[in-house]
Amino acid sequence: MDWLGDNQWAGWLTLAIALGVAEMFSLDLVLIMLAVGSTAGLVAALLGAPLIAQALVAAAASVAMLALVRPSVVRRLHAGPELVLGQRKLLGQRALVTERITAIEPGRVRLAGEIWSAAPYDEHLTIEPGETVEVFEIRGATAYVHPVPTLEP
């Protein structure tokens, strides 16, 4: 028992390692914050602080990590690109006109490897086959498209 009293840092190190290993199984980012608090207790023990001071330092560091660091880390981990499914995924994509498109007579475009019926987004336009268009809107099974401007000398 005398060895443990002289080497309190070993207890804090063991606790920090155990919490770190347990965090690998839980993945909640709670136990790792407690492990950081245990590491702060380890540092206090190495500096020669009494056991009560080590415990207070470890508790304060754990609470600070849980309150200040964990929320921003969790928010950053859960943030990501929005998952876009269905027809919304096709908005903004480019397509190749395969049949002439007019406001009176819808044509066809090759969009995402499939043939879609298409109408001009601006009803005064006529879009010829071979032109590249951008999908502005999809209503039902019809893509409303607008020609992509090209830079020609």
Side-chain angles (χ1 to χ4, degrees):
M1 205 58 186
D2 190 32
W3 182 87
L4 189 57
D6 292 339
N7 298 302
Q8 294 172 350
W9 63 269
W12 289 111
L13 180 61
T14 303
L15 182 60
I17 291 171
L19 288 168
V21 169
E23 176 62 38
M24 288 191 289
F25 294 105
S26 72
L27 298 175
D28 284 336
L29 297 177
V30 172
L31 297 177
I32 197 70
M33 301 299 161
L34 298 178
V36 171
S38 297
T39 305
L42 166 77
V43 171
L46 288 174
L47 293 175
L51 182 61
I52 192 75
Q54 295 171 26
L56 289 174
V57 166
S62 295
V63 168
M65 291 294 289
L66 286 170
L68 302 175
V69 176
R70 185 179 181 274
S72 64
V73 170
V74 167
R75 193 175 322 112
R76 184 171 262 190
L77 284 175
H78 290 162
E82 182 181 328
L83 181 61
V84 181
L85 299 172
Q87 295 176 346
R88 284 185 33 213
K89 184 168 88 174
L90 300 173
L91 297 179
Q93 286 195 6
R94 299 213 171 164
L96 181 66
V97 177
T98 57
E99 288 181 19
R100 185 175 188 204
I101 302 171
T102 65
I104 299 170
E105 188 175 319
R108 303 249 183 251
V109 293
R110 178 172 297 279
L111 174 62
E114 299 176 344
I115 300 294
W116 281 72
S117 62
Y121 191 75
D122 179 0
E123 54 194 43
H124 302 292
L125 289 178
T126 298
I127 307 169
E128 298 298 330
E131 288 191 49
T132 302
V133 292
E134 184 176 345
V135 178
F136 278 13
E137 184 179 359
I138 294 182
R139 287 187 234 148
T142 303
Y144 287 84
V145 298
H146 191 75
V148 175
T150 57
L151 298 175
E152 294 183 20

Short mmCIF file of all heavy atoms in Angstrom, two decimals, residues 66-96:
data_model
loop_
_atom_site.label_atom_id
_atom_site.label_comp_id
_atom_site.label_asym_id
_atom_site.label_seq_id
_atom_site.Cartn_x
_atom_site.Cartn_y
_atom_site.Cartn_z
N LEU A 66 -16.04 18.03 -20.97
CA LEU A 66 -17.41 17.64 -21.33
C LEU A 66 -18.27 18.84 -21.72
O LEU A 66 -19.11 18.75 -22.61
CB LEU A 66 -18.06 16.89 -20.16
CG LEU A 66 -17.57 15.46 -19.95
CD1 LEU A 66 -18.09 14.92 -18.62
CD2 LEU A 66 -17.98 14.57 -21.10
N ALA A 67 -18.06 19.96 -21.05
CA ALA A 67 -18.90 21.13 -21.30
C ALA A 67 -18.42 21.97 -22.47
O ALA A 67 -19.23 22.54 -23.21
CB ALA A 67 -18.97 22.00 -20.04
N LEU A 68 -17.11 22.07 -22.66
CA LEU A 68 -16.58 23.00 -23.66
C LEU A 68 -16.11 22.33 -24.95
O LEU A 68 -16.32 22.87 -26.03
CB LEU A 68 -15.42 23.80 -23.06
CG LEU A 68 -15.76 24.61 -21.80
CD1 LEU A 68 -14.52 25.26 -21.23
CD2 LEU A 68 -16.82 25.65 -22.11
N VAL A 69 -15.48 21.19 -24.84
CA VAL A 69 -14.87 20.56 -26.03
C VAL A 69 -15.82 19.58 -26.71
O VAL A 69 -15.98 19.61 -27.93
CB VAL A 69 -13.54 19.87 -25.65
CG1 VAL A 69 -12.95 19.14 -26.83
CG2 VAL A 69 -12.56 20.89 -25.11
N ARG A 70 -16.45 18.70 -25.94
CA ARG A 70 -17.26 17.64 -26.53
C ARG A 70 -18.38 18.15 -27.44
O ARG A 70 -18.57 17.62 -28.54
CB ARG A 70 -17.84 16.75 -25.45
CG ARG A 70 -18.60 15.56 -26.05
CD ARG A 70 -19.16 14.65 -24.96
NE ARG A 70 -19.85 13.53 -25.57
CZ ARG A 70 -21.12 13.56 -25.95
NH1 ARG A 70 -21.84 14.66 -25.77
NH2 ARG A 70 -21.69 12.51 -26.51
N PRO A 71 -19.16 19.18 -27.06
CA PRO A 71 -20.24 19.62 -27.95
C PRO A 71 -19.75 20.05 -29.33
O PRO A 71 -20.35 19.70 -30.35
CB PRO A 71 -20.88 20.80 -27.21
CG PRO A 71 -20.55 20.56 -25.77
CD PRO A 71 -19.21 19.90 -25.78
N SER A 72 -18.65 20.77 -29.40
CA SER A 72 -18.17 21.21 -30.71
C SER A 72 -17.60 20.05 -31.51
O SER A 72 -17.77 20.00 -32.73
CB SER A 72 -17.13 22.32 -30.55
OG SER A 72 -15.99 21.83 -29.89
N VAL A 73 -16.96 19.10 -30.85
CA VAL A 73 -16.43 17.93 -31.56
C VAL A 73 -17.57 17.09 -32.11
O VAL A 73 -17.54 16.65 -33.27
CB VAL A 73 -15.50 17.11 -30.64
CG1 VAL A 73 -15.13 15.78 -31.29
CG2 VAL A 73 -14.25 17.89 -30.30
N VAL A 74 -18.60 16.86 -31.30
CA VAL A 74 -19.75 16.06 -31.75
C VAL A 74 -20.46 16.77 -32.90
O VAL A 74 -20.83 16.14 -33.90
CB VAL A 74 -20.72 15.80 -30.58
CG1 VAL A 74 -22.04 15.25 -31.06
CG2 VAL A 74 -20.08 14.85 -29.59
N ARG A 75 -20.63 18.07 -32.81
CA ARG A 75 -21.28 18.83 -33.87
C ARG A 75 -20.49 18.72 -35.17
O ARG A 75 -21.04 18.52 -36.25
CB ARG A 75 -21.40 20.30 -33.46
CG ARG A 75 -22.32 21.12 -34.31
CD ARG A 75 -22.52 22.55 -33.79
NE ARG A 75 -22.60 22.65 -32.35
CZ ARG A 75 -21.68 23.24 -31.57
NH1 ARG A 75 -20.60 23.79 -32.11
NH2 ARG A 75 -21.82 23.30 -30.27
N ARG A 76 -19.18 18.80 -35.06
CA ARG A 76 -18.33 18.72 -36.25
C ARG A 76 -18.35 17.31 -36.85
O ARG A 76 -18.34 17.14 -38.07
CB ARG A 76 -16.91 19.10 -35.88
CG ARG A 76 -15.99 19.14 -37.07
CD ARG A 76 -14.70 19.71 -36.68
NE ARG A 76 -14.73 21.11 -37.08
CZ ARG A 76 -13.69 21.90 -37.06
NH1 ARG A 76 -12.55 21.45 -36.63
NH2 ARG A 76 -13.78 23.14 -37.45
N LEU A 77 -18.40 16.29 -36.01
CA LEU A 77 -18.45 14.92 -36.51
C LEU A 77 -19.78 14.60 -37.19
O LEU A 77 -19.82 13.84 -38.15
CB LEU A 77 -18.22 13.93 -35.37
CG LEU A 77 -16.79 13.78 -34.89
CD1 LEU A 77 -16.73 12.86 -33.68
CD2 LEU A 77 -15.89 13.27 -35.99
N HIS A 78 -20.86 15.16 -36.68
CA HIS A 78 -22.18 14.87 -37.24
C HIS A 78 -22.55 15.76 -38.41
O HIS A 78 -23.52 15.50 -39.11
CB HIS A 78 -23.25 14.96 -36.16
CG HIS A 78 -23.15 13.85 -35.17
ND1 HIS A 78 -23.74 13.91 -33.94
CD2 HIS A 78 -22.52 12.66 -35.20
CE1 HIS A 78 -23.48 12.81 -33.27
NE2 HIS A 78 -22.73 12.03 -34.01
N ALA A 79 -21.80 16.82 -38.61
CA ALA A 79 -22.06 17.70 -39.74
C ALA A 79 -21.48 17.07 -41.00
O ALA A 79 -20.48 16.38 -40.96
CB ALA A 79 -21.43 19.08 -39.52
N GLY A 80 -22.13 17.30 -42.09
CA GLY A 80 -21.65 16.75 -43.34
C GLY A 80 -22.55 17.20 -44.46
O GLY A 80 -23.52 17.92 -44.25
N PRO A 81 -22.25 16.77 -45.64
CA PRO A 81 -23.11 17.16 -46.75
C PRO A 81 -24.48 16.54 -46.61
O PRO A 81 -24.63 15.43 -46.11
CB PRO A 81 -22.38 16.62 -47.97
CG PRO A 81 -21.50 15.54 -47.45
CD PRO A 81 -21.16 15.91 -46.04
N GLU A 82 -25.47 17.30 -47.02
CA GLU A 82 -26.84 16.82 -46.96
C GLU A 82 -27.03 15.73 -48.01
O GLU A 82 -26.56 15.84 -49.13
CB GLU A 82 -27.80 17.97 -47.25
CG GLU A 82 -29.25 17.57 -47.15
CD GLU A 82 -30.17 18.74 -47.47
OE1 GLU A 82 -29.81 19.88 -47.19
OE2 GLU A 82 -31.25 18.48 -48.03
N LEU A 83 -27.69 14.66 -47.61
CA LEU A 83 -27.94 13.56 -48.53
C LEU A 83 -29.10 13.94 -49.44
O LEU A 83 -30.19 14.25 -48.98
CB LEU A 83 -28.29 12.29 -47.74
CG LEU A 83 -28.55 11.05 -48.56
CD1 LEU A 83 -27.32 10.67 -49.37
CD2 LEU A 83 -28.96 9.90 -47.66
N VAL A 84 -28.84 13.98 -50.72
CA VAL A 84 -29.85 14.36 -51.70
C VAL A 84 -30.24 13.11 -52.48
O VAL A 84 -29.40 12.43 -53.04
CB VAL A 84 -29.32 15.44 -52.66
CG1 VAL A 84 -30.37 15.84 -53.66
CG2 VAL A 84 -28.83 16.65 -51.88
N LEU A 85 -31.52 12.82 -52.47
CA LEU A 85 -32.02 11.62 -53.13
C LEU A 85 -33.05 11.97 -54.20
O LEU A 85 -33.62 13.06 -54.21
CB LEU A 85 -32.67 10.69 -52.11
CG LEU A 85 -31.77 10.18 -50.99
CD1 LEU A 85 -32.58 9.43 -49.96
CD2 LEU A 85 -30.70 9.28 -51.56
N GLY A 86 -33.30 11.03 -55.07
CA GLY A 86 -34.37 11.17 -56.06
C GLY A 86 -34.09 12.24 -57.09
O GLY A 86 -32.96 12.47 -57.50
N GLN A 87 -35.15 12.91 -57.49
CA GLN A 87 -35.04 13.89 -58.57
C GLN A 87 -34.25 15.12 -58.16
O GLN A 87 -33.63 15.77 -59.00
CB GLN A 87 -36.44 14.30 -59.03
CG GLN A 87 -37.20 13.16 -59.66
CD GLN A 87 -38.61 13.55 -60.01
OE1 GLN A 87 -39.11 14.58 -59.57
NE2 GLN A 87 -39.27 12.74 -60.82
N ARG A 88 -34.24 15.45 -56.86
CA ARG A 88 -33.47 16.62 -56.41
C ARG A 88 -31.99 16.47 -56.71
O ARG A 88 -31.27 17.45 -56.86
CB ARG A 88 -33.67 16.83 -54.91
CG ARG A 88 -35.00 17.44 -54.57
CD ARG A 88 -35.16 17.75 -53.10
NE ARG A 88 -33.93 18.14 -52.46
CZ ARG A 88 -33.65 17.86 -51.20
NH1 ARG A 88 -34.49 17.20 -50.45
NH2 ARG A 88 -32.52 18.26 -50.65
N LYS A 89 -31.53 15.23 -56.80
CA LYS A 89 -30.13 14.98 -57.08
C LYS A 89 -29.75 15.42 -58.49
O LYS A 89 -28.61 15.74 -58.77
CB LYS A 89 -29.85 13.48 -56.91
CG LYS A 89 -28.41 13.09 -57.07
CD LYS A 89 -28.17 11.68 -56.60
CE LYS A 89 -28.41 10.72 -57.72
NZ LYS A 89 -28.05 9.34 -57.36
N LEU A 90 -30.73 15.48 -59.38
CA LEU A 90 -30.46 15.84 -60.77
C LEU A 90 -30.45 17.34 -61.02
O LEU A 90 -29.97 17.79 -62.06
CB LEU A 90 -31.50 15.18 -61.68
CG LEU A 90 -31.53 13.64 -61.62
CD1 LEU A 90 -32.69 13.11 -62.42
CD2 LEU A 90 -30.22 13.07 -62.10
N LEU A 91 -30.97 18.13 -60.09
CA LEU A 91 -31.00 19.58 -60.27
C LEU A 91 -29.58 20.12 -60.34
O LEU A 91 -28.73 19.78 -59.54
CB LEU A 91 -31.77 20.25 -59.14
CG LEU A 91 -33.24 19.89 -59.03
CD1 LEU A 91 -33.87 20.60 -57.85
CD2 LEU A 91 -33.98 20.20 -60.31
N GLY A 92 -29.34 20.97 -61.33
CA GLY A 92 -28.03 21.57 -61.50
C GLY A 92 -27.08 20.74 -62.35
O GLY A 92 -26.01 21.20 -62.69
N GLN A 93 -27.47 19.51 -62.69
CA GLN A 93 -26.61 18.69 -63.53
C GLN A 93 -26.74 19.09 -65.00
O GLN A 93 -27.73 19.69 -65.40
CB GLN A 93 -26.95 17.21 -63.36
CG GLN A 93 -26.48 16.65 -62.06
CD GLN A 93 -26.49 15.13 -62.08
OE1 GLN A 93 -26.74 14.50 -63.09
NE2 GLN A 93 -26.21 14.54 -60.93
N ARG A 94 -25.75 18.71 -65.76
CA ARG A 94 -25.76 19.00 -67.19
C ARG A 94 -26.26 17.79 -67.96
O ARG A 94 -26.07 16.66 -67.54
CB ARG A 94 -24.36 19.38 -67.64
CG ARG A 94 -23.91 20.62 -66.89
CD ARG A 94 -23.06 21.47 -67.68
NE ARG A 94 -22.86 22.72 -66.94
CZ ARG A 94 -21.92 23.55 -67.23
NH1 ARG A 94 -21.10 23.29 -68.21
NH2 ARG A 94 -21.80 24.67 -66.55
N ALA A 95 -26.90 18.07 -69.07
CA ALA A 95 -27.45 17.02 -69.92
C ALA A 95 -27.18 17.37 -71.37
O ALA A 95 -26.92 18.53 -71.71
CB ALA A 95 -28.95 16.89 -69.67
N LEU A 96 -27.27 16.37 -72.23
CA LEU A 96 -27.05 16.55 -73.66
C LEU A 96 -28.39 16.40 -74.37
O LEU A 96 -29.10 15.43 -74.15
CB LEU A 96 -26.05 15.52 -74.19
CG LEU A 96 -25.72 15.61 -75.66
CD1 LEU A 96 -24.97 16.91 -75.95
CD2 LEU A 96 -24.90 14.41 -76.09
#
